Amino acid sequence: MANHNAHSGHGGHEGGHGSMKSYVIGFVLSIVLTIIPLVAVMNDMFSKQVTTVLILVMAILQFAVQLLFFMHIRDEKKPRFNLIALIFGLVIMLTIVAGSIWIMTYNAVAT
Amino acid sequence: MWDKIKDFSSEFFVTGDPLILGAQVSIGLTLVAIVFTLTYFKKWRWLWTEWLTSVDHKKIGIMYIIASILMLFRGGVDALLMRVQLAAPELEFLHADHYNAIFTTHGVIMILFMAMPLMFGLFNIVVPLQIGARDVAFPFLNSLSFWMFFFGAMLFNVSFIIGGSPDAGWLAYPPLSELSGSPGVGQDFYIWGIQISGIGSLATGINFVVTILKMRAPGMKLMQMPMFSWSVLSSCVTIMFAFPILTVTLFLLFLDRYLGAHFFTLDGGGNPMMYINLIWMWGHPEVYIVILPAFGIFSEIVATFSKKKLFGYKSMVFALMSISFFSFFTWAHHFFTMGSGANVNAFFAITTMIIAIPTGVKVFNWLFTMYRGKLSFPTPMLWTIAFIPCFVVGGMTGVLLSVAPADFQFHNSYFLIAHFHQVLIGGVVFGYFAGLYYWWPKMFGFRLHEGLGKWAFWFWNIGFYVCFMPQYALGLMGMTRRFNEYDFDMGWQPLNVVSTVGAFLMGLAFIFQVWQIAHSIKFFKKETSGDAWDGRTLEWSIPSPAPMYNFARLPQVTSQDDWWEKKQRRLRGEAELPEVAAAEQAPLEPIHMPRNSGIPFIMSFSWFVAGFGFVWDWKWMIVVGLAGVIISMLARSFSYNTDYYIPVDEVERTEAAARGAH
Amino acid sequence: MAHAIDTHKGAHGHSAHGSHDGHHGHDHHDQEEMKTFGFWLFLITDVILFGTLFATFVVLRLNTAGGPTGAELIELPGIIASTFILLTSSFTSGIALLEMNRGNKKGLILWLIITALLGASFIYLEVTEFIHLVHEGATIGTSAYWSAFFTLVGTHGLHVTVGLVWMTALIIQLSRRGITPVTKRKVNIISLYWHFLDVVWIFVFTIVYLMGVM
């Protein structure tokens, strides 16, 4: 992120980052990735487990789309501190969520 | 009318305890004395322009250290009161409620308002100098961090005389900390005091990560960075990932108390265990946050006073960073007894044992650095030497505690108390004292009296062992934490008396330290070389105290221990390396500096007002406080006049004056 | 980087600094880059913050204490509308960035205003939804489930609201000062913030709403 704006005086048309094309592709993909889980859930197309996996995968793909097409994570110069920090952050975040679920399974209260 | 005022003040102020009354009077008198002195000597303007609005990392560092030493005093008095109460069975020195409040505030203050700010103070003073930078990455944010900490700490401390102290333990487990268990305002002071200062800590974490990654002097590769800066990086990375969890957890507890939510309540489907799970996800990394920089300090000191390169630089970096990472995977060992089953306990027992490995690596690195070194033993080195055996024993008892089945015996006993005091005092406190002694000449430009420092050192050390070794035994004899009294027939008295004597020895040691500082100020022994200990890293290459811009010319770094290598080249009479010589002879340029700003102070004070409003649920005060916060933020966003340049002739004058002092 | 740094006009005691040559410009450029990196790190701390809220929600999702469940009260159509609104606003904030890189101040401001309006309608829908839920008898104090629900969704809404205030302040600054290295950096980080909020919403939408009605 830190770098992609630095030399953008050249205009946004030279492919790669920040072009209209990439924003449009990203937007279309994000719409599609929202519609798929919506349709799957509203029409009860699959079993509960399959649907859960499907919509979580769609959400993760959507995240990747935002990251690649809107936030331009690919354009970072080395050393890629932004990417490293993000990965570390995601690992810790997943630990918090998965760890809590795992530990609290044994400590659930009566609902 | 009069009755109304009386009613209000009897609820508002803490009344009825002679100890607290005495404290109230002395706090009042101290405040009056401070106001009088500042007015009499016409120092208000000086205080505001030179300190309260300063964005200079060195001044912010000094303010952190002063605040933390005051907090050390308060936390220490709390500790001595507890030890007096426990010196004899069935003593009626402190009644149960008061005792609860004191162990709660002792814990919170020592960790969050003593260890953390002392650590941040050293970060601030040392890191920019050590990596050859002129300030931190975000000086304004740095000032904001300090004032958020300061007002958070003040909000917490004010509960002592207004409204009543929190008394649900330092981590405030629900359901005791819920409205049902703690209907008073003490717990609200706890939430808001920690919340406000926690935001400051989080900002400091981000600030120093960016500073270290982006502002190193030209040529300084990451793997040439001084070890203290590495330890700060690992600590700040941990802060970044751990503190948001604390923010959320306290916020949820606040919602429970303030809006009647049901996160951790016993009714409405709430689950108090979730709080314990969440708070330790922050709480465990937190202890590594405070110990990692101490490891860095010891590494600097060991190398300096052995006149050798640090042994195993790479393994040290690897150990620091892996501890920072693994610290996020051990939290459940704080509640093995919660009943999460064998799998959970086994997993967290193993991760806890794994994290002891990199710590062991470090101990060997320090020992091998000393091996065949030219050793000398001034006070910073004494603390380092004392740290090693103390921390090894503390660490080993930690490994004992990590064995989940055995922990069912140790849990919440004095064995645990002795363990964590041994790693926190023997590791963190010894480490920060070592750092204070080591960098003191750099901060203030004069030396501390060594003789008095040695007295303090021995009293601290002997006091420590006398105080805490008996507690391991007491724990095994069945004494659990947070008891305010015990029966005659338990047989605990002899060891408790010994422990109390030890605590007072440490109190005496603190007095020696105060005396040492006062004595050294009176017989001001100026440190003129800028290189008080024949140091190895960049902070020793500039005058003491450092000029406000730190480096007139940014140094060109070519190696690890760059300043030492340069001195060696000079001693050997070698010509300076061409790139270094070029950087040294480059003409001076105007230096880009951040402007001072009053916004951090005002914004943090607004948070204090808002927090106080939330504590008492005074809506008008909440609105005023939050409005102040928002206005401060917008004022900052709209101010574009935030920096200036120091002209060359002023830099030349300052440098000439500093050199003239040599 | 020869942008005139008009920010140093202040009457500071040291302000004898006539020449802003290339070196100082470069200095300034580094600073803006550093601030963007700092903001990125802040966003990652926000990832942790939301992660903790999600963990709490997932752990407490069944604890309705005999009260209303999410499946009973959630009305998906409004949520679907606000999802597409927020997705679109993420896109429009990207277009604003393109306009900025083209040096088109008017276009930049226009697209930022569009983004802010979309954000405001998202907030409007969320407030409407909350009012509806309260009328149906689900408040933050109803049960652990609703505590977690309102806190998670509300924290996201609060972030969006802060973004709106910030965006408004930025639009004013842009109209006054035009596109400078400083305002450029500010637009860059607010668009990062906006994309980030979009990502968080996708997970709120999936985990709270879609999985809630399944």
Side-chain angles (χ1 to χ4, degrees):
Chain A
M1 292 318 89
N3 308 315
H4 97 274
N5 63 315
H7 312 288
S8 45
H10 324 299
H13 49 75
E14 41 180 22
H17 64 82
S19 71
M20 193 62 179
K21 199 173 134 200
S22 82
Y23 277 106
V24 171
I25 295 175
F27 186 50
V28 171
L29 280 176
S30 70
I31 296 287
V32 171
L33 290 170
T34 312
I35 290 175
I36 294 174
L38 208 53
V39 171
V41 170
M42 303 264 279
N43 300 327
D44 287 324
M45 287 167 76
F46 311 102
S47 74
K48 201 169 173 181
Q49 273 166 332
V50 174
T51 318
T52 309
V53 173
L54 176 80
I55 66 178
L56 281 176
V57 168
M58 291 299 132
I60 290 163
L61 285 177
Q62 171 99 265
F63 170 50
V65 165
Q66 295 267 339
L67 211 55
L68 294 172
F69 292 92
F70 288 0
M71 294 158 119
H72 316 294
I73 190 81
R74 275 175 305 185
D75 299 342
E76 195 192 349
K77 274 181 279 179
K78 279 183 186 171
R80 314 188 76 155
F81 291 130
N82 288 30
L83 187 64
I84 296 168
L86 177 68
I87 292 172
F88 194 8
L90 290 176
V91 169
I92 302 299
M93 194 269 289
L94 286 174
T95 309
I96 294 169
V97 176
S100 292
I101 294 172
W102 188 35
I103 292 171
M104 296 309 291
T105 320
Y106 303 94
N107 297 283
V109 293
T111 57
Chain B
M1 181 67 190
W2 176 242
D3 283 338
K4 256 177 118 177
I5 293 175
K6 245 169 70 181
D7 278 356
F8 171 76
S9 28
S10 70
E11 192 202 347
F12 189 71
F13 292 106
V14 179
T15 49
D17 190 309
L19 282 174
I20 293 182
L21 188 69
Q24 282 167 331
V25 171
S26 54
I27 289 170
L29 288 177
T30 313
L31 284 178
V32 170
I34 290 172
V35 170
F36 177 78
T37 315
L38 285 170
T39 314
Y40 185 78
F41 291 103
K42 300 200 172 75
K43 288 289 186 187
W44 284 104
R45 171 165 286 278
W46 166 82
L47 184 70
W48 177 256
T49 53
E50 293 293 312
W51 292 93
L52 304 191
T53 61
S54 177
V55 294
D56 182 343
H57 68 94
K58 300 178 284 295
K59 286 185 174 169
I60 291 173
I62 288 170
M63 290 192 285
Y64 265 123
I65 288 171
I66 292 172
S68 68
I69 288 173
L70 289 176
M71 289 292 102
L72 175 63
F73 174 72
R74 191 201 154 173
V77 171
D78 281 348
L80 292 181
L81 291 174
M82 282 190 283
R83 283 317 317 170
V84 170
Q85 168 66 24
L86 292 176
E90 291 172 27
L91 207 62
E92 289 185 18
F93 174 62
L94 302 172
H95 57 83
D97 289 343
H98 197 176
Y99 189 85
N100 290 347
I102 285 182
F103 71 65
T104 302
T105 54
H106 169 75
V108 174
I109 285 175
M110 286 304 202
I111 297 281
L112 289 166
F113 302 136
M114 189 283 283
M116 292 291 280
L118 190 49
M119 170 179 103
F120 289 147
L122 290 171
F123 285 12
N124 265 288
I125 286 162
V126 180
V127 169
L129 301 182
Q130 216 172 35
I131 62 171
R134 284 182 175 139
D135 208 318
V136 295
F138 312 120
F140 175 91
L141 187 68
N142 197 26
S143 165
L144 182 64
S145 292
F146 171 74
W147 289 110
M148 292 295 272
F149 146 70
F150 180 81
F151 282 110
M154 286 304 109
L155 187 60
F156 183 86
N157 275 279
V158 106
S159 68
F160 172 53
I161 48 171
I162 294 177
S165 298
D167 55 2
W170 86 280
L171 282 185
Y173 282 6
L176 181 59
S177 58
E178 292 283 357
L179 218 44
S180 54
S182 304
V185 291
Q187 199 52 46
D188 301 302
F189 275 115
Y190 170 97
I191 290 173
W192 282 98
I194 296 179
Q195 195 70 292
I196 290 171
S197 74
I199 298 169
S201 306
L202 185 57
T204 304
I206 294 176
N207 209 339
F208 277 87
V209 170
V210 179
T211 306
I212 290 170
L213 291 181
K214 300 276 182 183
M215 289 185 68
R216 294 189 310 282
M220 185 186 278
K221 299 191 188 95
L222 272 176
M223 289 310 266
Q224 291 169 342
M225 205 161 61
M227 196 50 69
F228 178 66
S229 294
W230 264 113
S231 71
V232 174
L233 180 65
S234 66
S235 170
C236 285
V237 165
T238 317
I239 290 177
M240 265 178 52
F241 296 122
F243 266 75
I245 309 176
L246 174 71
T247 307
V248 172
T249 311
L250 289 177
F251 181 61
L252 300 184
L253 184 62
F254 162 73
L255 290 177
D256 272 7
R257 292 178 60 91
Y258 192 73
L259 294 179
H262 289 288
F263 288 103
F264 313 123
T265 53
L266 288 174
D267 57 343
N271 192 339
M273 297 299 194
M274 185 60 185
Y275 179 93
I276 298 170
N277 173 55
L278 288 178
I279 198 84
W280 281 113
M281 276 187 203
W282 159 79
H284 193 76
E286 165 66 15
V287 300
Y288 287 99
I289 288 167
V290 291
I291 192 69
L292 286 168
F295 293 160
I297 292 168
F298 294 129
S299 304
E300 299 290 344
I301 290 173
V302 159
T304 301
F305 296 107
S306 305
K307 300 240 173 291
K308 268 177 72 185
K309 222 177 193 166
L310 183 67
F311 181 90
Y313 179 93
K314 279 184 188 160
S315 64
M316 204 66 132
V317 170
F318 181 75
L320 286 171
M321 295 319 275
S322 63
I323 289 178
S324 154
F325 181 72
F326 280 110
S327 70
F328 285 95
F329 296 88
T330 65
W331 77 92
H333 70 217
H334 293 271
F335 45 90
F336 278 144
T337 54
M338 192 161 99
S340 302
N343 286 339
V344 171
N345 282 3
F347 176 84
F348 285 97
I350 290 168
T351 52
T352 308
M353 292 173 202
I354 287 175
I355 208 166
I357 297 171
T359 316
V361 168
K362 285 204 210 3
V363 171
F364 285 108
N365 282 340
W366 291 316
L367 293 177
F368 285 130
T369 307
M370 283 188 267
Y371 180 65
R372 290 194 168 167
K374 281 193 209 112
L375 297 177
S376 55
F377 298 97
T379 37
M381 187 63 165
L382 284 182
W383 287 101
T384 307
I385 303 276
F387 148 81
I388 292 176
C390 195
F391 195 78
V392 167
V393 173
M396 297 293 252
T397 55
V399 176
L400 294 181
L401 283 161
S402 80
V403 180
D407 182 67
F408 278 69
Q409 291 301 314
F410 303 136
H411 188 77
N412 273 356
S413 73
Y414 262 76
F415 189 87
L416 169 79
I417 303 295
H419 156 70
F420 74 69
H421 280 94
Q422 185 151 19
V423 283
L424 285 173
I425 296 180
V428 176
V429 176
F430 284 17
Y432 294 167
F433 280 166
L436 265 186
Y437 284 111
Y438 182 58
W439 282 299
W440 185 279
K442 183 50 62 185
M443 288 180 226
F444 298 105
F446 66 93
R447 282 173 179 278
L448 284 173
H449 188 269
E450 278 284 303
L452 286 168
K454 284 183 179 162
W455 277 98
F457 168 78
W458 286 108
F459 270 105
W460 261 109
N461 267 275
I462 295 167
F464 170 80
Y465 286 101
V466 174
C467 182
F468 290 103
M469 290 304 121
Q471 293 187 8
Y472 281 114
L474 282 170
L476 297 178
M477 288 159 74
M479 183 164 163
T480 53
R481 71 195 297 196
R482 295 174 179 172
F483 271 7
N484 73 313
E485 56 178 18
Y486 51 88
D487 290 339
F488 278 99
D489 50 8
M490 302 304 275
W492 296 341
Q493 189 187 5
L495 286 174
N496 269 307
V497 171
V498 174
S499 183
T500 302
V501 169
F504 275 90
L505 289 178
M506 285 190 277
L508 212 57
F510 181 74
I511 292 175
F512 268 108
Q513 288 177 304
V514 175
W515 181 14
Q516 180 192 17
I517 293 172
H519 183 274
S520 311
I521 292 173
K522 196 174 168 203
F523 298 93
F524 200 82
K525 209 170 123 196
K526 196 154 172 37
E527 205 288 298
T528 50
S529 67
D531 190 1
W533 312 105
D534 194 9
R536 311 177 70 82
T537 41
L538 286 179
E539 73 268 32
W540 305 109
S541 69
I542 53 174
S544 303
M548 71 181 297
Y549 47 77
N550 298 352
F551 296 89
R553 296 177 184 82
L554 288 182
Q556 176 72 38
V557 176
T558 53
S559 60
Q560 183 200 332
D561 291 344
D562 196 66
W563 172 238
W564 176 260
E565 298 298 333
K566 184 187 233 176
K567 286 191 286 188
Q568 293 306 303
R569 285 197 295 273
R570 278 188 202 161
L571 278 179
R572 292 193 297 261
E574 289 171 16
E576 193 46 274
L577 303 172
E579 67 267 34
V580 179
E584 279 174 354
Q585 281 146 21
L588 284 173
E589 287 179 15
I591 294 176
H592 187 202
M593 295 297 284
R595 255 177 226 281
N596 286 354
S597 169
I599 295 176
F601 183 88
I602 295 168
M603 184 166 150
S604 310
F605 180 71
S606 304
W607 270 113
F608 177 88
V609 172
F612 200 81
F614 274 116
V615 167
W616 293 94
D617 197 8
W618 293 341
K619 302 274 189 310
W620 63 271
M621 204 172 187
I622 299 172
V623 171
V624 169
L626 291 182
V629 172
I630 293 166
I631 291 167
S632 306
M633 280 177 168
L634 287 174
R636 174 63 182 176
S637 178
F638 278 90
S639 58
Y640 277 67
N641 185 20
T642 54
D643 36 15
Y644 70 99
Y645 284 85
I646 303 179
V648 171
D649 52 336
E650 195 181 321
V651 177
E652 274 169 351
R653 273 201 305 277
T654 316
E655 288 294 299
R659 232 168 282 130
H662 275 206
Chain C
M1 281 296 203
H3 323 279
I5 304 167
D6 60 337
T7 60
H8 300 299
K9 281 184 201 148
H12 192 280
H14 300 282
S15 58
H17 48 74
S19 68
H20 289 308
D21 54 25
H23 180 77
H24 298 165
H26 185 69
D27 219 35
H28 215 277
H29 160 72
D30 284 348
Q31 285 221 325
E32 302 313 324
E33 197 175 304
M34 221 153 59
K35 285 183 178 165
T36 315
F37 179 53
F39 189 77
W40 179 257
L41 295 184
F42 161 74
L43 283 185
I44 287 164
T45 66
D46 236 17
V47 169
I48 306 285
L49 182 138
F50 277 107
T52 314
L53 287 173
F54 273 110
T56 311
F57 177 82
V58 173
V59 166
L60 298 175
R61 74 190 182 286
L62 300 173
N63 301 15
T64 48
T69 64
E72 286 164 22
L73 298 187
I74 288 171
E75 291 185 343
L76 265 193
I79 305 305
I80 295 168
S82 46
T83 303
F84 284 108
I85 287 172
L86 207 61
L87 280 178
T88 313
S89 80
S90 191
F91 175 62
T92 56
S93 80
I95 300 181
L97 219 65
L98 290 180
E99 291 295 332
M100 179 177 78
N101 290 344
R102 226 175 268 143
N104 181 356
K105 177 178 147 185
K106 272 191 185 153
L108 163 63
I109 292 179
L110 178 71
W111 284 105
L112 279 184
I113 291 175
I114 292 173
T115 309
L117 287 176
L118 288 169
S121 34
F122 173 85
I123 291 297
Y124 172 77
L125 285 174
E126 184 156 288
V127 171
T128 319
E129 187 213 2
F130 278 13
I131 292 173
H132 162 76
L133 288 173
V134 170
H135 277 298
E136 296 287 323
T139 67
I140 195 166
T142 303
S143 65
Y145 170 82
W146 288 107
S147 300
F149 172 92
F150 280 109
T151 307
L152 174 54
V153 180
T155 304
H156 176 266
L158 196 65
H159 273 73
V160 176
T161 314
V162 169
L164 287 177
V165 175
W166 180 13
M167 213 179 266
T168 314
L170 190 48
I171 290 168
I172 298 170
Q173 290 172 34
L174 281 168
S175 62
R176 281 191 196 161
R177 296 179 182 270
I179 301 172
T180 69
V182 177
T183 52
K184 218 171 175 175
R185 180 259 305 166
K186 289 187 175 184
V187 176
N188 266 311
I189 61 180
I190 201 169
S191 89
L192 277 181
Y193 183 70
W194 209 255
H195 297 316
F196 166 75
L197 291 183
D198 196 27
V199 171
V200 174
W201 179 255
I202 290 305
F203 284 90
V204 172
F205 176 63
T206 306
I207 292 171
V208 177
Y209 290 104
L210 287 183
M211 286 164 84
V213 299
M214 263 162 56

